[in-house]
Amino acid sequence: MHIVILIDINMPEISGIEATKKIRALPQGNDVLILGLTGNVDASNLELYKQSGLNGCIAKGKILSSALEIAVGMNKDSPCDFIDLTK
């Protein structure tokens, strides 16, 4: 996987969830690592993010460079697992 997209869940025109679904519908959309950025990290929201096609979620306020390094490494080891970097 070579493309990583950080997507805000709550964008003004289109939500990160809707955008993720559109990306996944593209011919190579499943070859992209998509990580949501959000402050809404309770269990029900995380399940919604997972079901929408996000590969993982990073809580706002986390050190982004560390979170990205972890996410890319985890995705390489287990590409089908949802990556929860909210804690």
Side-chain angles (χ1 to χ4, degrees), residues 44-87:
S44 63
N45 280 323
L46 290 176
E47 185 59 31
L48 173 65
Y49 305 151
K50 182 178 179 179
Q51 296 302 317
S52 74
L54 286 169
N55 295 103
C57 192
I58 300 171
K60 287 184 179 177
K62 289 285 185 186
I63 298 173
L64 195 53
S65 60
S66 299
L68 279 173
E69 187 176 334
I70 292 166
V72 170
M74 290 175 72
N75 184 261
K76 186 186 290 185
D77 294 338
S78 302
C80 296
D81 291 346
F82 184 77
I83 305 163
D84 180 359
L85 296 170
T86 60
K87 295 170 181 62

Side-chain angles (χ1 to χ4, degrees), residues 1-43:
M1 187 167 308
H2 297 94
I3 299 173
V4 177
I5 297 175
L6 293 176
I7 196 158
D8 194 332
I9 299 297
N10 295 312
M11 298 185 296
E13 299 293 321
I14 182 173
S15 76
I17 291 172
E18 293 173 51
T20 297
K21 289 177 181 178
K22 289 180 182 272
I23 293 166
R24 294 290 183 223
L26 296 171
Q28 295 181 343
N30 289 323
D31 296 334
V32 178
L33 175 63
I34 306 175
L35 301 170
L37 225 50
T38 185
N40 300 322
V41 294
D42 61 59

